[in-house]
Amino acid sequence: MKTRVAVHRDFHISRIDDRLYSAFIEHMGRAIYGGIYEPGHPTADADGFRTDVLKFVQDLKIPAIRYPGGNFVSAYNWEDGIGPKENRPVRLDLAWRSKETNQVGINEFGKWAEMAGIEMMLAVNLGSRGLEDARNFLEYSNFKGGTTWSDMRREHGVQDPYDVKMWCLGNEMDGPWQIGHKKATEYGRLANETSKAFKGFDASIETVVCGSSNDAMPTYPEWERQVLEECYENVDYISLHKYYGNNSRDTLNFFGKIEETGRYIQTIGGVIDYVKSKKRAKNDVHICFDEWNVWYHIREQDGKNVKAWDWPEAPALLEETYNFEDALFVAGLMNEFIRRSDRVKIACIAQLVNVIAPIRAEKNGPAWRQTIYYPYQFASLYGRGTALNVAVDAPTYDCRVADDVKYLDVAGVLDEAGTIVTLFMLNRHLTEAADLDVTLTGFAGAKVVEHLVMEGHDLRQTNDAANPERIVPTKGAGVAVEDGKLRGKLAPLSYHVIRIDVS
Ligand code: AHR
């Protein structure tokens, strides 16, 4: 397959916000309990945190993490998770029909996030609760001392405030499954008032208002319009969520969902622009794509089928095992986020450990990395800087969710120092290799310094506890720059990270 690509040093899309590579973790299943936290595990530290899991998390260089939910947050009392652990109440988690022991709360999570080197992005409960409890949580977390809530935090052993700058105003409030589900105008008003109170406390706080739970919701995108009309001037981001599947085992259609995501972002961008113009507003609202991942292999275990369960503690929910096809898909999705980085400033893989996650932690056993860990990691490590406006000419295909999908999917990033260009390339063709003909303009003396590749696996192959490294990236070969052109061959169904020294 013949392809042509043009990369120019001066043609940019946007500066990429580092938070494009953020994550989400919820009190759900074995994400917290049995995931990051398992007292008694051979690798657990004095606080009960698994150091094997922590190491895999640290290696991802995650900038920010959304916590504690998700659906869970909509009936969560944050005060249940503070103070001496032995006094904390055990509650019913209505979202996931489980028992919540509250052994991990804001202070434990804050400590873990600090060890992991990740900034916290906290969600408040605007389902069963409201502004009053949210503002108490803010005061407990962010005020230095001398007030009831901030002194309580100090008594709980945390002298310095967390100074959390990013706050999510509830979760998926459009979803009828949500505890405290609301109408758009009702929620929009509550979000507006909550955001105003938070910014009144600290003007540098940024807030995220809930968009639709996904682009198939019957109220999408009218929900976004109505919500934003209530709160546009007082919020900074609107959230997008989307989970992906390939139930029909149609690989090209699955990959076409990357284009579908582009349309989703474009649509919400249009709604943002519409409301901004209508209100004659001065501020910009950006997109926070704070839940995304592949989620279909184990759908039957989601909240719907646990109804018969007798409220277990940390049940093994949504423990998807990802295959090679999923890794290729995530690679393409990361490319789409980079290409849309003018609109999408924050994005969170959902979730991080055990629950639809790149990291699996076996009970009393080892932790291991799923196939999707690697494309997410490469984007996080090498996708920082400026997104380049890369032009791609390649054969295309039509599928159920999109037309004119290019078999070759490319994103390009120039690092902060202007010395390395990274090209993320996905050949989605099922049988044909892509002949590369990449023109590099403004990059005299360019030279490939690293080439990482994921290729050569059966699409359904996975890693697992017994074979944790069956699918890992390897060093690529045969791609080089000659006379200002990058040339080489990309095998069918392969993903490449090509790092070019342009200093
Ligand atoms: O990530 C799992 C769940 O998916 C989250 O709790 C919810 O926000 C979404 O529906």
Side-chain angles (χ1 to χ4, degrees), residues 357-466:
I359 301 169
R360 184 71 70 78
E362 303 295 336
K363 191 176 165 62
N364 293 319
W368 51 277
R369 287 165 290 190
Q370 300 240 31
T371 59
I372 61 166
Y373 181 97
Y374 301 102
Y376 170 54
Q377 181 186 39
F378 291 151
S380 173
L381 297 184
Y382 307 128
R384 316 249 177 151
T386 299
L388 296 174
N389 197 353
V390 177
V392 180
D393 180 23
T396 60
Y397 66 90
D398 294 344
C399 59
R400 277 174 286 126
V401 296
D403 288 338
D404 299 322
V405 181
K406 289 176 183 152
Y407 281 107
L408 182 67
D409 181 283
V410 185
V413 177
L414 178 63
D415 74 347
E416 209 72 71
T419 56
I420 300 271
V421 166
T422 302
L423 296 178
F424 300 92
M425 295 188 157
L426 171 68
N427 181 5
R428 320 185 227 209
H429 206 290
L430 302 182
T431 54
E432 286 184 31
D435 286 322
L436 282 188
D437 173 349
V438 183
T439 307
L440 298 166
T441 308
F443 301 115
K447 186 170 99 219
V448 174
V449 285
E450 192 171 19
H451 178 189
L452 299 157
V453 60
M454 293 184 81
E455 66 181 6
H457 299 280
D458 183 280
L459 286 176
R460 309 279 155 238
Q461 258 188 338
T462 65
N463 291 339
D464 54 40

Side-chain angles (χ1 to χ4, degrees), residues 133-337:
D133 302 298
R135 85 176 180 103
N136 294 344
F137 189 23
L138 173 68
E139 190 177 310
Y140 183 90
S141 308
N142 280 19
F143 199 61
K144 52 186 185 304
T147 67
T148 305
W149 289 109
S150 58
D151 283 348
M152 201 182 291
R153 184 199 66 241
R154 292 167 71 109
E155 276 160 32
H156 294 156
V158 181
Q159 296 308 310
D160 295 329
Y162 294 109
D163 202 19
V164 176
K165 292 295 186 196
M166 281 177 282
W167 291 85
C168 301
L169 305 167
N171 177 69
E172 294 189 349
M173 299 307 301
D174 64 318
W177 59 84
Q178 206 67 223
I179 312 283
H181 160 64
K182 293 179 174 51
K183 291 200 172 99
T185 46
E186 203 184 346
Y187 166 67
R189 262 188 57 69
L190 176 60
N192 188 52
E193 293 309 313
T194 309
S195 193
K196 267 166 52 190
F198 273 48
K199 286 168 183 280
F201 169 84
D202 172 359
S204 66
I205 278 178
E206 294 190 315
T207 55
V208 185
V209 70
C210 296
S212 298
S213 303
N214 58 69
D215 53 348
M217 294 298 289
T219 47
Y220 163 84
E222 180 58 11
W223 168 272
E224 280 81 352
R225 182 191 68 76
Q226 291 188 19
V227 166
L228 283 176
E229 289 204 358
E230 295 293 335
C231 65
Y232 187 93
E233 285 101 332
N234 292 310
V235 299
D236 303 281
Y237 304 94
I238 184 156
S239 73
L240 270 65
H241 291 180
K242 192 168 169 73
Y243 291 99
Y244 305 87
N246 184 17
N247 292 91
S248 57
R249 298 287 184 271
D250 180 344
T251 300
L252 289 180
N253 189 63
F254 184 40
F255 292 158
K257 293 181 183 181
I258 295 163
E259 268 62 22
E260 192 185 40
T261 304
R263 289 203 305 269
Y264 184 14
I265 293 167
Q266 205 175 339
T267 301
I268 299 307
V271 175
I272 292 170
D273 291 346
Y274 169 78
V275 177
K276 179 176 179 179
S277 311
K278 186 172 173 190
K279 288 183 153 288
R280 285 26 172 190
K282 297 271 178 289
N283 63 310
D284 286 316
V285 168
H286 288 108
I287 289 172
C288 174
F289 212 121
D290 54 26
E291 286 187 35
W292 65 263
N293 208 344
V294 175
W295 172 10
Y296 77 104
H297 300 285
I298 206 153
R299 265 278 183 192
E300 68 274 11
Q301 268 193 21
D302 70 13
K304 292 182 209 95
N305 284 354
V306 296
K307 289 285 184 278
W309 294 23
D310 189 18
W311 303 92
E313 225 179 274
L317 290 176
L318 277 53
E319 299 204 358
E320 293 260 322
T321 299
Y322 291 110
N323 60 30
F324 179 55
E325 184 183 65
D326 300 326
L328 297 178
F329 176 83
V330 166
L333 192 64
M334 299 313 300
N335 282 358
E336 189 65 21
F337 287 149

Side-chain angles (χ1 to χ4, degrees), residues 464-479:
D464 54 40
N467 300 282
E469 310 222 320
R470 189 185 278 130
I471 299 179
V472 291
T474 54
K475 274 196 185 328
V479 170

